[in-house]
Amino acid sequence: MNVAIVVGSIRKESYNRKLAEYLKQRYSDQIAFDIVDLRDLPFYDQDTELDPPAAVKEFKERIAASDAVLWITPEYNYSIPGVLKNALDWLSRVDKVMNGKPSWIMGASMGQLGTVRAQEHLRDILFSVGITSPLLPNNEVYIGAVHEKMDESGKLIHEPTIGFLDIVVNNFMTWMNARK
């Protein structure tokens, strides 16, 4: 199974980016993860949507080539970051490569609630007309106090969180296999 990971943070030391790298390593025997960087994605511009810049074309191609998309988002001001919203805006236009493509959501933050509010907003966007991405219900991952659950290298060391991720990944794999 090929899953694109879109991380809603472009910060070099992003906990969410570290989570993506951890997932890619831990579950490599089950899922081929492709971490898609948003750093070079220009702002959405309706004037160029029919002939978008190369970075947009590549972004859409990588999403289209995936079987599903894992969105890993931090929470900025109780919502998703602007770079993530911008990426979703590009995906919702013209060829609409997300239409019907399964998604799942995770997020990590230093706060106790993880990314609950951001994920709620992201869920609404994924259900919008231009995207219409199915989500497996009750399979959310909110990692709060992430700075206490990762070591210096970004590896998760909190056993309850690791065990929960194993369950979530298994749930997602079962759901995806049932969709075939």
Side-chain angles (χ1 to χ4, degrees):
M1 180 178 313
N2 297 309
V3 175
I5 300 178
V6 178
V7 180
S9 174
I10 57 174
R11 186 172 70 90
K12 289 179 185 173
E13 294 299 316
S14 163
Y15 287 113
N16 289 282
R17 176 66 184 219
K18 290 176 182 180
L19 176 60
E21 295 288 349
Y22 177 81
L23 294 166
K24 184 175 181 176
Q25 179 272 322
R26 180 167 179 86
Y27 303 105
S28 63
D29 61 331
Q30 300 171 55
I31 302 171
F33 283 117
D34 175 24
I35 300 173
V36 182
D37 194 347
L38 300 180
R39 185 171 295 279
D40 295 327
L41 203 61
F43 287 121
Y44 168 74
D45 181 352
Q46 191 174 11
D47 291 338
T48 64
E49 73 179 4
L50 295 177
D51 187 23
V56 173
K57 289 177 184 175
E58 179 189 351
F59 172 64
K60 285 184 155 192
E61 287 168 3
R62 288 171 73 182
I63 297 300
S66 68
D67 297 314
V69 178
L70 171 57
W71 306 90
I72 302 181
T73 184
E75 184 170 296
Y76 293 175
N77 300 313
Y78 299 161
S79 191
I80 63 172
V83 295
L84 185 54
K85 178 61 169 78
N86 181 57
L88 289 156
D89 288 344
W90 278 113
L91 293 172
S92 72
R93 303 293 293 184
V94 186
D95 48 0
K96 301 179 183 179
V97 299
M98 279 301 299
N99 196 345
K101 187 175 295 288
S103 286
W104 48 327
I105 305 172
M106 295 184 185
S109 79
M110 293 172 62
Q112 293 303 313
L113 293 178
T115 59
V116 172
R117 293 178 186 113
Q119 288 191 40
E120 187 64 32
H121 288 176
L122 179 54
R123 201 169 287 106
D124 288 344
I125 296 166
L126 291 172
F127 290 145
S128 68
V129 174
I131 297 178
T132 60
S133 177
L135 287 163
L136 175 61
N138 303 315
N139 208 45
E140 297 90 1
V141 176
Y142 310 106
I143 302 175
V146 68
H147 58 293
E148 298 171 0
K149 297 174 181 172
M150 283 186 175
D151 66 15
E152 302 268 334
S153 72
K155 179 181 176 187
L156 276 172
I157 56 172
H158 188 250
E159 290 300 325
T161 301
I162 295 167
F164 183 70
L165 284 175
D166 289 345
I167 292 167
V168 167
V169 169
N170 185 59
N171 290 345
F172 187 77
M173 296 291 293
T174 301
W175 182 62
M176 287 294 292
N177 287 331
R179 293 176 55 83
K180 290 182 181 180

